[in-house]
Amino acid sequence: MKQFGYEESLKISYFQIDGNMVMTPAALFSDLQEVAINHSDALGYTVDYLSGKQLGWAIINWHLQVERMPKLGEKITIQTWSEKCRRMQAIRCFYVLDEKEDIIIKGTSRWIFMDLEKRKPTNIPDEMTARYHSGQESAIPGEKFIMPKENVNERASIRSLLITRRDTDTNGHANNVKYLEWAMDDVPDEIYDEMQLADVRIVYRKECVRGDEVVMKTYIHDMEDGKEVLTFITDKGQMVLAEVATLWQ
């Protein structure tokens, strides 16, 4: 890739892997977000700067296409750039490269710029739009962030959990990576241990806080190219908080 916004290299640590000695999806998402934050820092838009103005970013969509997950001890490079900013939204893309500089993961995400005091979206300043803009096309061209639909007549596995301190971030809400961790817990062992993760889609619809009870509804679908695991995370009133769809091959 000739042009990008920002990149960092890192080595996959023991605490980031699962029983298959590969990086967990949650660890990957944490690193992608960390690199995104570091990119913003490098542009002058640090967390302290934004919070001082009662501004911040909220992610609403993820889509990752996975050739393979990194392994224990492997050195990877994460590249990230802003494909475009428009009004209140920004599209941020990612490549994950291995030591041979082959792209093993492609990702794109959609973010909303927030007025934290009013808890409402607000327009991205023109100066910020100009600094973030990379002039580079999307990592996943034509991405529309479309999620699979729930079939309420289909049988699902259901469990509930309570949001605790360890699930929350600096604003007291459940960290967005936690939703993925919860969904991964409900992937059957025969899929997680014997198949390879090929695709991840997430949409965040509503926040939850410490003390909230959430309900996990998980569906398993046979696909032509593998197994789809679809998880709907709802509150006790069945309002959808987030949806996670993973494809395994």
Side-chain angles (χ1 to χ4, degrees), residues 3 81-84 132-137:
Q3 184 182 16
W81 67 97
S82 177
E83 178 213 342
K84 62 183 176 183
Y132 274 107
H133 183 65
S134 68
Q136 187 173 322
E137 67 178 20

Side-chain angles (χ1 to χ4, degrees), residues 21-36:
M21 298 297 175
V22 298
M23 193 178 201
T24 67
L28 171 63
F29 274 67
S30 293
D31 278 347
L32 294 179
Q33 289 186 78
E34 184 71 14
V35 172

Side-chain angles (χ1 to χ4, degrees), residues 105-213:
I105 298 169
K106 298 178 180 180
T108 186
S109 54
R110 180 161 55 181
W111 302 69
I112 296 292
F113 197 57
M114 296 288 295
D115 182 319
L116 300 180
E117 185 176 9
K118 297 179 180 178
R119 300 303 302 171
K120 294 174 62 176
T122 189
N123 286 330
I124 304 167
D126 291 341
E127 178 189 353
M128 183 179 289
T129 297
R131 285 196 182 185
Y132 274 107
H133 183 65
S134 68
Q136 187 173 322
E137 67 178 20
S138 175
I140 305 177
E143 178 58 56
K144 301 297 183 183
F145 297 106
I146 297 173
M147 295 293 293
K149 300 297 183 182
E150 180 181 16
N151 182 351
V152 295
N153 297 317
E154 193 177 355
R155 186 172 181 177
S157 63
I158 298 175
R159 72 180 176 98
S160 62
L161 59 89
L162 189 68
I163 308 301
T164 63
R165 182 188 296 114
R166 67 181 179 182
D167 298 316
T168 59
D169 52 25
T170 54
N171 62 15
H173 299 103
N175 187 285
N176 67 78
V177 173
K178 290 295 180 177
Y179 295 87
L180 180 60
E181 284 187 339
W182 301 334
M184 288 299 101
D185 283 344
D186 287 349
V187 175
D189 289 345
E190 61 270 20
I191 294 177
Y192 191 96
D193 291 336
E194 299 175 16
M195 304 182 77
Q196 302 295 318
L197 181 64
D199 194 275
V200 184
R201 297 173 186 265
I202 307 176
V203 59
Y204 302 99
R205 302 196 182 279
K206 189 175 182 293
E207 297 169 322
C208 57
V209 299
R210 180 180 176 184
D212 285 351
E213 182 181 350

